[in-house]
């Protein structure tokens, strides 16, 4: 299995509901350094898993929709905690849609699974990995 | 599959038996930066894999039992080499026990597997990954 | 010149005033990984620049006052942008006060300068360095 | 499953053929920081997955064959793009051969799979993972 | 003293002349992860050392001139080794010129010195630091 | 001012004397990732601060004398705590001697100062910097 990983980041505000979150129930924020790994059993005729330029550009677009925002006010997250896990799944879903829509190029058709990891500090991260 | 990873570290002394270890047969030491990844197919009602506060606290307790010690004198390791691999398995086993004992909270019941990675330097690491 | 550096982090929300900030004028957030370096021309009788346990504990206390908060609502920052630079200076000032108050221990009396660095992502950081 | 990972690096020149590569069609270069992870379901009598000294030495030899070269002029790559993905597979193949030839020692016989990751910058990497 | 640091990277080919370089006399290449630190004794009215957006954009432009090239064929380097040290100085000079030309904005007028660091691998880097 | 930095590491055991060290008074250990930065106001005719091959080799030799040992039993440290600060100074002194003895090559004659940093974990480091 081959894979290619690209990285970008977002800086967001949010708060959580639930006693388990302790002080993180207050409005606070985070930098999420986002890694997206594309996995494929084979390479295309160019010798690549995916057009890394398109992958990077698509990730930038997906993140631009979240970047520099208070996620508590983003309608699509209404009623849900925007935990690192939930955000990893969100980036995964949007990347899967982008591939379906052809935004990642023809080469991406052999990509079987994607893993999205969000690093929230030097000591914690979360990820979502799924098949396409 | 979702996952959450937390990080802590220990500083220990030990020596190895076996010609394969070369100069590491002498009493020496290591800082192990320890990553524990918890994997679950679903999130709980709070939108998390596990209470990250509890996970961090439990890891701290498990490591406190090893930290600042000469592992050659720890009874539970008697007759065994405390290689990075063995220590990764040790942290895994104790974390699995902690979960079984409910120390990681109710949410941890959906955690299916754990991966423990010990970074021993900027150029080497070892891990153990297993199902619960 | 000797130095010792310790690390911790905070997760905060804030917004900036000023066209130069572009989209960062909106309420957003950041994880700041904070490094504090203590510099001294000599070591004490124990062979250290500073009691690293006390330094770590003091940093934790200083950061606890900022952690998991919306800095726009913190009175001491009223009317000022809480840029990474300003926060680095804030941590510096509070650490200098803690040393003056003896919280860093007797050994810290030879510390001549402190450098505080806040990493806001994998591609940007800011710092303040000053003499005591 | 246990694993051990070792790291080394190479500095090479190359160019790519294919419009998808944009400016990377020109002769340019890269530092590849190479991680090789060896996975085994069990430890040998010494408590290790593999002799880390032999693994490191074997990786060094494999990389020495590529290091400080213009890959466009290496016969074994003739007619192929030496993308990060292709190079990851190349290192994998040569490591698999080395194990087959006994260069990794007797203990390596239980190694079931290898994952090779090449980091090409702070924002991109590629890997190949396969069974032996 | 305040400072702000931004990061980007380039991927180049080159060769060196001089026996001291050993195998690096052959055409090879490198990824250089480039950090530029801007130092100022004071903050502007916005609370910043420099407009980080402009600094990042200016660094991108400076590096674009070198990126994906064989530096042996760049006229401005004719007759010189493009060592990591020389490249650090090159980026410094161009950044100093950009500031002089007003490309970094009015706020950059208080920047007293700049430090440029090029990381060529996980084990080596070089830098140039100078006053403006 | 130019600089070049090289990296290597050691794995040692030791214990400390003094109540300030708490549990670190017990025999324990550490991995020290060692960075040595050589600073020079000018480059030699090859365009370098120092022969990076010789610098790396000299660092390896200096560290080999400490690596895989119990520092409590090393005669030259008798009666002293081998704190991270003390070890940074030790590496500095030996590197300064090596330069004086010509082991770093003729080019090293313009090196004015050296900074040695020992990273003992992902959250702590110490350094010594001095003129030659």
């Amino acid at each position: 299995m081959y894979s290619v990983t690209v990285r970008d980041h977002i800086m967001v505000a949010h708060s959580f509901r639930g006693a388990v979150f302790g002080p993180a129930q207050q409005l606070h924020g985070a930098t999420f350094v986002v890694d997206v790994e594309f996995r494929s059993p084979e390479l295309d005729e160019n010798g690549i898993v995916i057009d890394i330029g398109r992958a990077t550009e698509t990730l930038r677009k997906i993140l631009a929709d979240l970047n520099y925002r208070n996620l508590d006010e983003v309608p699509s997250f209404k009623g849900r905690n925007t935990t690192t896990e939930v955000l990893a799944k969100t980036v995964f879903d949007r990347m899967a849609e982008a591939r379906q829509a052809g935004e990642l190029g023809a080469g991406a058709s052999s990509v079987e699974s994607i893993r999205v990891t969000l690093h929230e500090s030097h000591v914690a991260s979360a990820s979502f990995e799924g098949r396409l």
Side-chain angles (χ1 to χ4, degrees), chain A:
Chain A
M1 182 65 68
Y2 292 92
S3 81
V4 162
T5 302
V6 296
R7 172 171 285 192
D8 203 338
H9 75 289
I10 50 171
M11 304 181 85
V12 299
H14 58 173
S15 63
F16 298 139
R17 284 183 299 181
V20 70
F21 295 106
Q25 293 175 86
Q26 302 163 212
L27 182 64
H28 63 289
T31 304
F32 292 110
V33 175
V34 183
D35 287 325
V36 181
E37 180 185 16
F38 301 88
R39 295 181 180 161
S40 170
E42 55 190 37
L43 300 182
D44 72 7
E45 68 281 8
N46 290 308
I48 57 176
V49 164
I50 196 172
D51 178 346
I52 201 172
R54 280 198 184 206
T56 299
E57 189 52 38
T58 302
L59 178 57
R60 191 186 314 264
K61 279 184 199 161
I62 289 170
L63 296 183
D65 205 36
L66 303 172
N67 204 7
Y68 293 121
R69 297 185 71 177
N70 176 359
L71 301 184
D72 293 355
E73 298 178 350
V74 174
S76 61
F77 293 125
K78 195 174 173 62
R80 301 166 63 204
N81 283 321
T82 53
T83 60
T84 315
E85 294 92 320
V86 165
L87 293 173
K89 179 65 159 57
T90 299
V91 174
F92 172 88
D93 287 343
R94 296 187 184 179
M95 190 60 84
E97 287 165 20
R99 173 175 164 279
Q100 195 65 23
E103 294 175 38
L104 292 171
S109 61
S110 69
V111 172
E112 284 186 354
S113 65
I114 290 177
R115 179 180 172 128
V116 177
T117 303
L118 272 69
H119 306 269
E120 67 177 62
S121 74
H122 64 305
V123 291
S125 64
S127 70
F128 180 78
E129 174 182 349
R131 294 185 67 83
L132 298 179

